[in-house]
Amino acid sequence: SAVISQKPSRDICQRGTSLTIQCQVDSQVTMMFWYRQQPGQSLTLIATANQGSEATYESGFVIDKFPISRPNLTFSTLTVSNMSPEDSSIYLCSVLQERGIGGELFFGEGSRLTVL
Amino acid sequence: GQNIDQPTEMTATEGAIVQINCTYQTSGFNGLFWYQQHAGEAPTFLSYNVLDGLEEKGRFSSFLSRSKGYSYLLLKELQMKDSASYLCAVRDPILTGGGNKLTFGTGTQLKVEL
């Protein structure tokens, strides 16, 4: 199974600032995703991080607010820009490993952001 | 799009059996996942069903009926450590180009008591 390292694991940020979250995988993976989990909520997909091209964003999420980089098959970053208290969430990096007819989605430990 | 429904919370007794249901209404389907998430931790994979029927893995089993848009997760011989949130997630059909996207339900918070 893939081992995913995220950092920072948690941070307290000031309103209006930006923070970049890094995700490192111990093996090459084709599909990498960024999810958000707001307090008491389930996971919501922000975007698919595509290697060598622009990320694919889900409805309600835009590149200006959540720029994503994917320079190679083992690394990605998510930036939360111009933060407000509503951005306080856990941000999770995930990768898909195909297994036969299906696949398994592995998650990093998450980055817990608190915006004051 | 996908609409996924799960009970918000359930309580069960240590040693007992509990069934957590998940229903979904989708424009397409390419598999259903169950994840376990302990408070403050990342979700961990439990099971994946793409064909109808029951998949068994030790104390955990997962069932799928595609015609009914229904799945359940069955936990046997409950232990205190099984207290967690259980997330049902549906995978988009490959043909739409979103074949690797998962849409998650809101999760069922299971509390195991003595």
Side-chain angles (χ1 to χ4, degrees), chain A residues 31 33 35 37 40-45 48 58 90 92 96 98 101-110 112, chain B residues 30 33 35 37 39-45 48 50-51 57 87-88 91 99-107:
Chain A
M31 306 297 297
F33 308 90
Y35 282 85
Q37 188 172 30
Q41 305 291 317
S42 189
L43 286 79
T44 301
L45 180 64
T48 302
E58 297 300 307
I90 300 173
L92 294 141
L96 183 78
E98 295 289 352
I101 60 172
E104 187 173 333
L105 197 68
F106 293 93
F107 288 89
E109 292 298 316
R112 184 183 296 269
Chain B
N30 191 32
F33 292 76
Y35 281 83
Q37 186 176 27
E41 297 182 11
T44 55
F45 172 83
Y48 174 70
V50 66
L51 301 175
K57 272 188 184 181
L87 305 169
C88 171
R91 183 171 176 176
N100 296 303
K101 173 185 172 182
L102 294 189
T103 301
F104 283 82
T106 53

Side-chain angles (χ1 to χ4, degrees), chain A residues 59-80:
Chain A
S59 176
F61 298 96
V62 295
I63 188 171
D64 289 347
K65 176 67 175 176
F66 298 101
I68 289 171
S69 79
R70 178 89 191 272
N72 56 53
L73 293 177
T74 64
F75 185 78
S76 178
T77 67
L78 168 75
T79 299
V80 186

Side-chain angles (χ1 to χ4, degrees), chain A residues 37-43, chain B residues 5-13 18-22 34-41 43 46 73 75 78-88 105-113:
Chain A
Q37 188 172 30
Q38 294 178 300
Q41 305 291 317
S42 189
L43 286 79
Chain B
D5 292 308
Q6 302 178 238
T8 304
E9 53 186 32
M10 300 181 69
T11 302
T13 304
V18 71
Q19 177 174 312
I20 302 174
N21 295 325
C22 171
W34 283 96
Y35 281 83
Q36 180 191 61
Q37 186 176 27
H38 286 99
E41 297 182 11
L46 290 178
L73 180 69
L75 292 75
L78 279 173
Q79 303 174 9
M80 298 297 288
K81 68 178 183 179
D82 296 329
S83 294
S85 180
Y86 291 85
L87 305 169
C88 171
T106 53
T108 299
Q109 187 65 45
L110 175 66
K111 182 178 179 182
V112 180
E113 300 179 329

